[in-house]
Each structure stands twice: as C-alpha cells, then as structure tokens.
Amino acid sequence: VGNPPTGLTVTVVSDLTAEPQATDPTVQLGAAELRHAVLAFSELRFIPCDTMDGNVVMPGPIVVDLVTNKVEPALPSVPVPPGGFCGLDAPLTMAAPNAAMQGCSILFSGLRSDGTLFILYSARAGTLHMRPDPKFPVWDTTIASSFIWALRPLRWLAPAELDAEPSDPFGAVLRVIVIDVNRHPLLFTAIRDRIGGRSTLYADFNGNRQIDADERANGLIGEG
C-alpha cells in the first residue's frame, strides 16, 4: 500500500458550472463575451486544523488568469501538517510583476449583449477565504493529494444587471461601462462579493486537474 503523499497541490480553474448552492444556476454571462478575469494574490495561506502547526504559505505574487486558465508562476506542492488543513486564504495584491496588472489586483472585462464594453480595473484590497464543507472538515491526503479551486467569473455579474446600467461614450462610436465604487456601486459591490462567494474547492480524486463528474458529485470539500 505504501505511505500516503505528504504534499498537496492546488489547481485553479474557471468553472462554467454554477456553484452547488446557486438558486439561479442558469444566470451568467456568455463565455464568448468575457475578455478578462484576472486576480493577483500576494500569497496563498493554508490554515492548519491544529493552530500549533502554523500556516503553510505559498509565496507570491501569484497571477491567476481565468480566461486562459493560466497561473503564474506555477503553484508548487505544499507540505501537509499531521492534522491536515482547515482553510485557505488568498490575499489580493497590487504588487504583481505583470504588465497588465501593475497597481491592480482585479481585472474583469467583457461585452454586454449590445456590444458595450464593461471593465473593472481595480486596486481593491481584500482576502478570498475558503473554508471546509461540513462533510470534509479536514483537508488532508486521505481525501486526495490534489485539490481544485473553482472560480466562476461568468457568475460574477448577471446580464440583466449590466443591461440596467447606463454607459459612457468611448471613442467616436463605442460605449463603455467603467465599473468602480463611484460610477456603478451596485455592480462593483456585486462583483466584490461574488468573486470569493461563488467559489468552491474540490478533491481531485484522480489527479487529472479537472473537475470530473464523480468529483462534482462527491468531492466538494470547501466553500468560499
């Protein structure tokens, strides 16, 4: 049988399926209309169940592009303490060495149904939190040695919410919705709350870094 693995890997993906607790699972942006969904984290902090063990930190900055499903730099494996993990924190940062993210922690943009551009380019501070699902209160290598963190940018805004917002001129013929706390506070607040709140963590039972049907049905281990 051998010894179980002592290291844990995390894959970050954009999930096209609504979060399990969604009351409106069909309400989301069209995948073809999304242009950017990028988050910059200063680090990933894995929280041990036994507080005497201390946090296990995956240092950053880490840039997650949910349109291309790329993470830079690649995420290393982290050692798992004997008592396992009971949480994950991901603080946003404005210091990522990425040309598109200079001074910015969130870049989110796309097209409304009428072709109007919407964009949120924000230096927002904050921390995304992931905590255990009651069925799996401890994350350790007896569950799996690979986890999948599913984020859902298509669920950060609803088409009807965009349709209700006024736009501004952008050049001679185009229109734009610049989402910030002053111009479009309701959209800004909705995105802020949904980035983490509509994310989930799955056990990657077979280690293929994809959410398979059995993992979606039985592998939910954490909620944002």
Side-chain angles (χ1 to χ4, degrees):
V1 177
N3 295 322
T6 58
L8 182 148
T9 61
V10 175
T11 301
V12 186
V13 302
S14 176
D15 192 1
L16 302 181
T17 302
E19 64 278 13
Q21 69 274 22
T23 58
D24 56 350
T26 62
V27 178
Q28 61 182 30
L29 301 174
E33 291 148 7
L34 189 64
R35 295 295 180 267
H36 301 93
V38 187
L39 302 172
F41 300 113
S42 60
E43 62 187 19
L44 299 184
R45 293 196 300 259
F46 294 83
I47 302 169
C49 300
D50 184 347
T51 57
M52 297 297 292
D53 288 330
N55 293 341
V56 177
V57 176
M58 185 182 292
I62 298 164
V63 177
V64 175
D65 188 327
L66 295 167
V67 172
T68 63
N69 275 320
K70 291 183 178 178
V71 179
E72 296 180 338
L75 301 181
S77 176
V78 296
V80 182
F85 292 121
C86 282
L88 170 64
D89 285 349
L92 294 167
T93 182
M94 283 72 74
N98 178 294
M101 299 296 287
Q102 289 294 314
C104 170
S105 59
I106 304 170
L107 171 57
F108 179 51
S109 74
L111 297 177
R112 194 166 69 176
S113 58
D114 62 359
T116 298
L117 173 70
F118 69 86
I119 184 167
L120 185 151
Y121 188 72
S122 175
R124 178 79 188 183
T127 300
L128 276 64
H129 303 284
M130 182 63 61
R131 294 297 181 265
D133 182 89
K135 292 184 294 184
F136 292 99
V138 178
W139 306 335
D140 58 28
T141 52
T142 64
I143 300 171
S145 61
S146 176
F147 292 172
I148 301 174
W149 184 12
L151 290 149
R152 296 177 171 86
L154 299 184
R155 296 273 296 158
W156 293 353
L157 279 179
E161 292 172 327
L162 281 170
D163 292 343
E165 293 293 319
S167 59
D168 298 314
F170 184 58
V173 295
L174 300 178
R175 307 287 297 182
V176 63
I177 301 171
V178 179
I179 302 172
D180 61 29
V181 71
N182 296 314
R183 287 187 181 93
H184 301 276
L186 295 180
L187 295 188
F188 184 87
T189 300
I191 296 169
R192 180 199 65 190
D193 294 343
R194 293 168 185 168
I195 288 175
R198 292 188 166 177
S199 67
T200 45
L201 193 69
Y202 293 91
D204 184 13
F205 295 135
N206 60 9
N208 69 350
R209 299 176 181 266
Q210 299 177 15
I211 308 172
D212 300 313
D214 62 327
E215 293 158 351
R216 199 175 293 280
N218 303 304
L220 179 66
I221 62 173
E223 297 179 335

